[in-house]
Structures are given as structure tokens and as C-alpha cells.
Amino acid sequence: MLEADFDVISLCFVGQRERRMVGGMPLEWSVAVGLCARSLHYVAVKAAVLMSAGRRTPYVIAEIGSVHDGSFGNACRLLEVAADCGADAVKFQTHIAEAETLLDAPSPSYFSAEPRAAYFRRTGFSREQWVSLAKAAKSCNVDFLSSPFSLEAVDLLEKVGVSAYKIPSGEVSNIPLLEYVAKTGKPVFLSSGMSSWEELDSAIAALRPSRELTVLQCTSVYPCMPEQVGLNVMLAMKERYRLPVGYSDHTLGFSAPIAAVALGATVIEKHFKFSRLMYGSDAKHSMEPDRFRELCSELKDTGRMMTNPVDKDDLSSVSSMKLIFEKSIVAAADITADTTVAMHHLAFKKPGDGIPAAKYQEFIGRRLVKAVRADHKFVNEDFA
């Protein structure tokens, strides 16, 4: 893509800090429509190419994480509900406390109700339970993914049989882990919520041996505000790495993931839970089933829009509407024969099955060969 094209394709946040409305809609809604026509055509073509290899809609990952709070029953039910809502994959987190954290490691500001190591131990599953979850995902026809936070977690997940790995943002600089995951040959989704370009470059290099690698734009802020989403970064990732790109969402709404798909994201990840009232590190910032179902539907629709370009000159689908709504040239009043037609002799009325109103200038100055009554729908034979 030309450098000038990339400049144009940048999100058109017109006066972002000063204005909250663009074109009569909230700024965050205008992301996908704030592109110039040339750039939107480029994005649509790219999206079609990216999704054409077996997919016409984005791959939606329901991030269950540890919101099950250690309940195996809740984990199974969350998986089932996510699948029913339209997710293509469910993603968990595989923590082995002794392998990934020191006892005095700090907790994030948004969840400090219990020490991290204790939380990981309490919410972890046995190998047998992980196997059962993988089987449950298969029976629900969704892919089973998990994020490993240690080499030992990778070993466990290989025995369980994950479909793919998701590298969480906090592990991007853990090159030994990335190299270990790459050796499995499984597809990898790489998040990027707290990484610089230099760190991301190193992570990509470590993961290149993976069979399939998708880079996800992410901002590790909970909740993430529209101004922090960084869809421009997702576009830059596509250019920089020549890899499929996606978006891992920490906002509370729909607009960011939908805009990401409109800009070419092939993968969307969204936190999922039963209720925002649940206890847990991600519950407050996750999406409940009814809204998640709606999001999945909107994302699939957006994907279909991007992969089904419309020929503006093919009017077959609107031919009946043109007949009903467009205007024909008619007589504005009774007109005698041999009258030289002037503008005041003409009116323009539905339906559009006569001489199109757009051709009125072709008949100004011509002579009528016969008298006509008001509202007579003209035909070419009326004129000399």
C-alpha cells in the first residue's frame, strides 16, 4: 500500500478532544464510517482477502478466563452459553501458581480481594477437568483455547489438547514461553495490550515458527475508553508484520470490535460472564450473555458486509423500487397541439415508468404533435 494511502486510512477522529459528535453520531460510532472512500475500498478488499480462506465472518473468541471462580460447573455452563450465543471459540486461562508467580507478587488495582497465588490455586482445575472442558467445547462445536502463563501450563495444555494458544498481553516479553509455545506447532493469537513495538517485534520473531499467527491489538486498561482503543495500531500491525490481525476488546460496548472488523480484523476477543455482579478479576469488565449474543450477530453481519462488495451499477435488486419512487415527465396542465414545450408545461410525478425526469432538457423547445390533458405521462411519440 502506498504511504499516502496509509495516511488517508488513519482514523478520521476530527477534533477528537474537542468534539464528541461526528456526522450526527457519537464519535466512537463514527470510527468505521470516518474513512475516505479510497481507503474504505482498500480496507474492504483486504478484509475480503483475509476472510476468504474458509471464513466470511470474523472469528469470535469468548474470553471466559477465570471468571468461573474455580467452579467446574460454572466453567462448563459458561462454555455452553458462549457457544449458544454465537462464539466460535472459548478461551480460558491456565494458571499454575507455583510455576508463574512469587507469593508477594502484587495484584492489579481492579482486583485485589485476595493474593494472586492464592487466587490461582483456588480457581485452578485438575488435568481431568481440563480434558472434560475440552470435550465439552468439542460437543458444543466451538474451539477450545487457553492462555498459558508458564512452561508447565503449556505442557498441561498439550496433554489436554487445546485447539490454539492465546498469548496474553503480560506474557509478550516472556520469550522462553513464546518459543516453547511455537514448538507445539499450534495456531497462536498474540495479544499486545502492554507492549512497545520493540517488544512486539521480539515476540513475533519468537512465534514465527507457529503454523498460524494472528496479532491482536489490545489496550490493557480496564475498562478501556474509546480514545484508548488504538485501531490505528491494528492497521500498523498489518503493514508491519504482514500477518492477520484482530482485536482483543476491553471496552464495555460494541463499537470498538465492530469498527475493528470494518477495518479488517479477522479475530475478535471479548470477555464473557453470566453477570457483572459475579466475583472475580474480570467480571466487572465482561459482557453478559444477552449483549454478547447481540455482539456476535453484529460482528457476523459486519463481516458479511466487508466480504460481499456491491456493484453500484447492478440495480436488479432495486428495480421495483425505482419504478415506485422515481419520477416521470408529465403534463403540468392541459396543452394544445403544436405547442412549443417550455419548462412550465412540465411536471414530474411518480411512478418512474415513463420518460425519466432527468431527461427533461431533451424536450424543452420541442413541439407537441397532439393535445394532451393535465398529468398525461409523456412518451417520445408525443413530440415532433
Side-chain angles (χ1 to χ4, degrees):
M1 182 170 64
L2 297 176
E3 183 175 352
D5 288 328
F6 190 75
D7 290 339
V8 174
I9 207 171
S10 298
L11 300 182
C12 299
F13 287 126
V14 180
Q16 179 173 348
R17 297 185 183 278
E18 293 78 21
R19 297 180 61 193
R20 296 301 306 166
M21 300 293 289
V22 174
M25 66 180 73
L27 175 62
E28 54 268 31
W29 293 8
S30 68
V31 174
V33 297
L35 301 174
C36 296
R38 178 185 180 191
S39 299
L40 186 56
H41 171 74
Y42 172 84
V43 172
V45 171
K46 284 295 184 183
V49 170
L50 288 171
M51 292 185 192
S52 64
R55 292 195 64 85
R56 303 292 291 178
T57 59
Y59 184 78
V60 180
I61 303 172
E63 159 69 284
I64 295 172
S66 299
V67 77
H68 50 74
D69 200 42
S71 165
F72 179 69
N74 276 344
C76 292
R77 186 58 184 147
L78 282 161
L79 183 158
E80 293 167 354
V81 175
D84 183 65
C85 287
D88 298 294
V90 291
K91 202 224 79 176
F92 292 86
Q93 296 177 5
T94 304
H95 295 282
I96 301 175
E98 293 75 14
E100 74 171 81
T101 185
L102 298 177
L103 294 178
D104 59 353
S107 297
S109 60
Y110 58 85
F111 183 70
S112 56
E114 57 185 301
R116 298 294 275 168
Y119 177 70
F120 294 151
R121 291 193 193 99
R122 185 178 63 78
T123 58
F125 293 135
S126 67
R127 174 181 170 182
E128 291 72 22
Q129 288 173 317
W130 281 118
V131 169
S132 295
L133 281 174
K135 290 179 179 178
K138 185 175 182 179
S139 68
C140 290
N141 199 31
V142 291
D143 293 332
F144 178 71
L145 282 57
S146 191
S147 290
F149 290 79
S150 62
L151 303 183
E152 290 82 349
V154 177
D155 289 337
L156 172 60
L157 290 170
E158 281 299 289
K159 294 172 183 176
V160 169
V162 290
S163 303
Y165 287 96
K166 159 73 188 303
I167 304 299
S169 295
E171 299 295 327
V172 170
S173 61
N174 188 353
I175 300 301
L177 175 66
L178 306 190
E179 293 173 343
Y180 203 56
V181 168
K183 290 177 181 177
T184 69
K186 300 279 181 66
V188 176
F189 301 97
L190 175 66
S191 201
S192 60
M194 54 185 80
S195 303
S196 66
W197 282 117
E198 182 179 0
E199 291 170 327
L200 206 51
D201 289 346
S202 297
I204 296 289
L207 289 168
R208 283 286 185 184
S210 302
R211 181 164 58 88
E212 299 173 25
L213 177 58
T214 303
V215 191
L216 308 181
Q217 163 56 10
C218 177
T219 302
S220 296
V221 177
Y222 301 86
C224 180
M225 295 294 102
E227 296 83 355
Q228 300 170 302
V229 166
L231 295 182
N232 61 305
V233 178
M234 186 187 76
L235 294 173
M237 288 173 174
K238 174 61 186 170
E239 292 302 306
R240 188 182 187 97
Y241 301 120
R242 303 293 175 177
L243 290 169
V245 295
Y247 174 64
S248 179
D249 188 32
H250 293 155
T251 69
L252 299 180
F254 289 14
S255 55
I258 290 173
V261 172
L263 290 172
T266 61
V267 176
I268 295 294
E269 181 184 45
K270 187 78 171 179
H271 283 269
F272 177 78
K273 56 29 170 96
F274 291 137
S275 168
R276 292 180 65 187
L277 300 178
M278 292 174 68
Y279 175 84
S281 60
D282 295 322
K284 282 177 58 178
H285 310 114
S286 300
M287 188 168 275
E288 295 174 345
D290 285 349
R291 297 199 75 211
F292 187 80
R293 183 187 305 277
E294 185 178 356
L295 174 64
C296 287
S297 177
E298 296 293 332
L299 290 172
K300 306 294 184 182
D301 285 349
T302 305
R304 284 189 283 271
M305 294 175 204
M306 299 306 295
T307 55
N308 288 279
V310 171
D311 180 357
K312 193 59 177 168
D313 287 324
D314 179 4
L315 302 179
S316 58
S317 65
V318 296
S319 58
S320 62
M321 297 294 282
K322 286 176 71 66
L323 175 68
I324 294 169
F325 286 98
E326 291 189 352
K327 303 291 181 61
S328 299
I329 303 174
V330 303
D334 293 349
I335 310 173
T336 60
D338 294 323
T339 297
T340 298
V341 175
M343 185 66 185
H344 69 271
H345 293 124
L346 306 180
F348 312 98
K349 297 184 179 183
K350 300 182 182 72
D353 58 349
I355 299 173
K359 295 185 177 182
Y360 79 98
Q361 290 183 334
E362 298 178 17
F363 301 93
I364 300 297
R366 293 179 65 179
R367 182 174 58 84
L368 276 179
V369 299
K370 66 178 183 178
V372 297
R373 304 297 298 269
D375 285 338
H376 170 75
K377 191 187 302 177
F378 285 117
V379 295
N380 286 313
E381 290 74 20
D382 293 332
F383 301 91

